[in-house]
Amino acid sequence: MLKILIKNAEFITMNAKEEIIYGDLLIEGDRIKAMGGELCDQAADKVIDAKGKTVIPGFIQTHIHLCQTLFRGQADDLELLDWLKQRIWPLEASHDEESVYYSAMLGIGELIQSGTTTIMDMETVHHTDYAFQALSQSGIRALSGKVMMDKGGEVPTGLREVTARSLQQSVDLLEKWHGFDNGRLKYAFSPRFVISCTEELLKEVQRLSDSYKVNVHTHASENRGEIEIVQLETGMRNVVYLDHLGLANDRLILAHCVWLNEEEKKIIQERGVHVSHCPGSNLKLASGIAETPDLLDRHISLSLGADGAPCNNNLDMFNEMRLAALIQKPAHGPTSMNANTVFKMATIGGARAVGMEKEIGSLEPGKKADLAILNLNDFHLYPSFGVDPVSRIVYSATRHDVETTIINGQIVMENRRLNTLDQDIVLKEANRSIKRVLKRAEILV
Ligand code: GUN
Ligand code: FE
């Protein structure tokens, strides 16, 4: 088992006491073996001198679409339903195996470089096996699944699915990938949103998630037009409908939840449903501002996600943390979402959302070795004297301050050099892929 010793660092642990400790951390295999004080470096295969540096738990993003990374910049300045119909669905329908693979690799490169170590990812309808191959090769920790869409008149024929096939393909992918690499990869059923799923499909997803004990990941109450359609078709609001189908439980992760009413908030709270807050996407798609201070007051499980590259346009947790804090302050006061609260959402909150709070989300002996080493010695981070270490990360640091990223005990980036993917090849192939996809989608550039 490989042993890595990180020496002389400041550790923002995010353990139950939210301790900040100084000294060394020893990784043995995929787990943190020991931390704090001075640890002997005789037995280590590799020693990283982190003097003057800060180590944080790797970020956990609970709503990402790696299949959309290729579409960065191809769908700006639109509202959700136009964004989907005019750009995203035709583009997703035009994906091929290679474009799905490089879209994932491009996104993963960006995520690892900015300190994200775990993602809850939603793929497109087809070629999801290629996204899983990228996930497996890159070393990132992920829960992912093919998106399910068996309803909706305006869905391109290339995406529109037959219910039974959508379910069968999901189960086939689950059987192949769930638990891969000692649990580093997991499967999550991913019905797109109520509008594009039949009741039959959603009921079967509920049954399957129950029997396999895997997560369900979907979008809900993101946009007012979406809610109107759901109300018209089902006679109910999103969360009420999902609860009616038996889906509202602690394995359900709902992205966005911008426009919840009182009844929906109560269901989410009582059933232990998890909300993935996506402030960057919610602003760019003009969806609205989620009432996160109210959700936190109700002790609702809240975490963060950048969503997809074409609605953000980055996959950068530093940006999401900053936005999550700042957007609440004008309406709810300067302390409504403080630095510590959003940092918790970005780490241990994400772990709780994906049911892995015993494994990831904090730096503690026995947990998986998922972490980022930050170098906070730069103009934009000084003075450091007398400044709260978490405030420095949330309000002053940027993704460029991430120096090294370790996932599952593997050094996936060291001194800003990615070890598991070739940046030059990924950038080149990303351009080649989007050119092909745009042509197939008959979108002129
Ligand atoms: N709702 C349904 N599909 C999507 C998607 O791909 N992105 C976002 N942000 N919302 C959605
Ligand atoms: Fe999304």
Side-chain angles (χ1 to χ4, degrees):
M1 253 192 301
L2 196 74
K3 290 183 186 169
I4 302 169
L5 184 64
I6 301 171
K7 286 197 76 72
N8 306 314
E10 170 189 62
F11 296 96
I12 317 264
T13 66
M14 297 315 281
N15 65 15
K17 290 192 213 150
E18 295 179 16
E19 284 172 305
I20 294 174
I21 61 177
Y22 298 86
D24 303 347
L25 181 148
L26 179 66
I27 297 169
E28 202 175 286
D30 60 357
R31 292 189 187 268
I32 299 170
K33 175 83 174 166
M35 62 187 297
E38 196 179 337
L39 301 172
C40 174
D41 58 7
Q42 303 256 300
D45 301 290
K46 180 169 176 80
V47 177
I48 298 174
D49 183 9
K51 192 166 168 31
K53 296 178 185 167
T54 300
V55 181
I56 60 170
F59 293 126
I60 298 166
Q61 297 212 38
T62 54
H63 185 61
I64 291 283
H65 300 257
L66 288 178
C67 66
Q68 294 176 2
T69 323
L70 276 194
F71 314 151
R72 191 192 326 263
Q74 302 290 349
D76 290 338
D77 309 324
L78 290 162
E79 269 209 44
L80 176 69
L81 297 176
D82 289 338
W83 180 84
L84 287 170
K85 287 185 231 167
Q86 293 173 21
R87 312 295 288 190
I88 300 306
W89 286 345
L91 287 165
E92 282 192 19
S94 304
H95 255 312
D96 53 51
E97 293 164 351
E98 221 184 324
S99 62
V100 164
Y101 176 85
Y102 283 109
S103 191
M105 278 303 199
L106 187 66
I108 295 166
E110 184 184 2
L111 289 159
I112 289 175
Q113 264 196 343
S114 49
T116 290
T117 54
T118 297
I119 54 168
M120 173 61 105
D121 171 47
M122 182 182 286
E123 284 302 315
T124 185
V125 170
H126 303 294
H127 318 303
T128 300
D129 197 61
Y130 288 80
F132 270 105
Q133 285 180 35
L135 291 167
S136 80
Q137 289 164 15
S138 68
I140 199 166
R141 189 181 301 287
L143 303 94
S144 182
K146 71 167 239 82
V147 86
M148 306 171 89
M149 305 176 72
D150 69 336
K151 178 170 156 280
E154 288 174 270
V155 174
T157 47
L159 289 185
R160 178 74 179 264
E161 299 183 279
V162 172
T163 311
R165 251 179 84 79
S166 180
L167 290 160
Q168 188 57 53
Q169 286 180 354
S170 299
V171 170
D172 289 348
L173 285 161
L174 183 157
E175 299 273 0
K176 180 167 178 189
W177 291 104
H178 188 64
F180 179 87
D181 193 14
N182 200 18
R184 179 168 61 82
L185 301 187
K186 294 187 179 184
Y187 197 79
F189 288 102
S190 310
R192 188 157 209 145
F193 60 166
V194 169
I195 295 179
S196 57
C197 299
T198 61
E199 190 161 317
E200 184 193 349
L201 180 105
L202 291 170
K203 277 184 173 160
E204 195 53 18
V205 164
Q206 186 277 326
R207 198 190 64 76
L208 288 166
S209 106
D210 224 37
S211 72
Y212 283 105
K213 303 276 176 266
V214 301
N215 288 106
V216 177
H217 175 203
T218 189
H219 299 93
S221 298
E222 175 176 4
N223 167 286
R224 280 181 283 195
E226 165 219 341
I227 291 166
E228 252 176 58
I229 296 170
V230 173
Q231 183 88 40
L232 214 68
E233 290 181 352
T234 68
M236 291 175 234
R237 309 259 312 179
N238 271 293
V239 180
V240 179
Y241 179 62
L242 294 172
D243 186 38
H244 170 76
L245 299 179
L247 277 158
N249 58 43
D250 69 352
R251 281 194 304 277
L252 180 65
I253 297 185
L254 296 180
H256 304 290
C257 293
V258 176
W259 301 103
L260 300 172
N261 71 9
E262 185 62 28
E263 187 183 9
E264 291 178 292
K265 286 178 192 168
K266 283 213 172 101
I267 292 169
I268 288 174
Q269 183 181 9
E270 280 165 18
R271 304 272 192 267
V273 173
H274 307 276
V275 173
S276 179
H277 177 43
C278 308
S281 165
N282 293 343
L283 291 172
K284 185 156 183 279
L285 292 174
S287 301
I289 294 178
E291 296 174 86
T292 51
D294 182 34
L295 301 182
L296 285 174
D297 283 348
R298 294 167 191 255
H299 304 289
I300 286 171
S301 161
L302 208 55
S303 51
L304 288 169
D307 205 348
C311 59
N312 190 302
N313 289 3
N314 292 124
L315 308 178
D316 172 8
M317 189 58 115
F318 289 93
N319 192 42
E320 297 311 306
M321 288 194 297
R322 183 177 176 78
L323 285 175
L326 299 195
I327 59 175
Q328 302 300 335
K329 295 181 189 297
H332 300 287
T335 59
S336 55
M337 290 289 272
N338 64 30
N340 198 55
T341 302
V342 296
F343 192 67
K344 250 200 269 191
M345 285 164 61
T347 53
I348 193 71
R352 179 180 167 201
V354 298
M356 294 181 73
E357 66 270 43
K358 293 205 173 74
E359 294 282 73
I360 56 174
S362 61
L363 301 175
E364 295 178 74
K367 280 203 166 182
K368 297 278 190 188
D370 289 11
L371 55 86
I373 304 176
L374 314 182
N375 186 348
L376 304 179
N377 299 295
D378 211 340
F379 288 107
H380 64 285
L381 291 145
Y382 266 66
S384 61
F385 180 80
V387 181
D388 174 66
V390 173
S391 158
R392 289 184 84 207
I393 294 165
V394 171
Y395 291 131
S396 305
T398 74
R399 60 162 120 188
H400 306 290
D401 305 319
V402 179
E403 210 171 67
T404 293
T405 305
I406 297 178
I407 307 175
N408 216 28
Q410 183 184 15
I411 303 174
V412 289
M413 178 177 78
E414 185 168 15
N415 292 321
R416 306 240 5 114
R417 243 193 79 81
L418 291 158
N419 288 334
T420 54
L421 54 98
D422 185 321
Q423 180 164 358
D424 292 341
I425 293 176
V426 171
L427 300 192
K428 192 171 117 220
E429 293 300 330
N431 263 346
R432 270 167 44 105
S433 295
I434 187 60
K435 196 169 162 192
R436 209 166 57 241
V437 171
L438 284 167
K439 193 163 172 222
R440 206 175 284 135
E442 294 179 346
I443 290 174
L444 299 172
V445 282

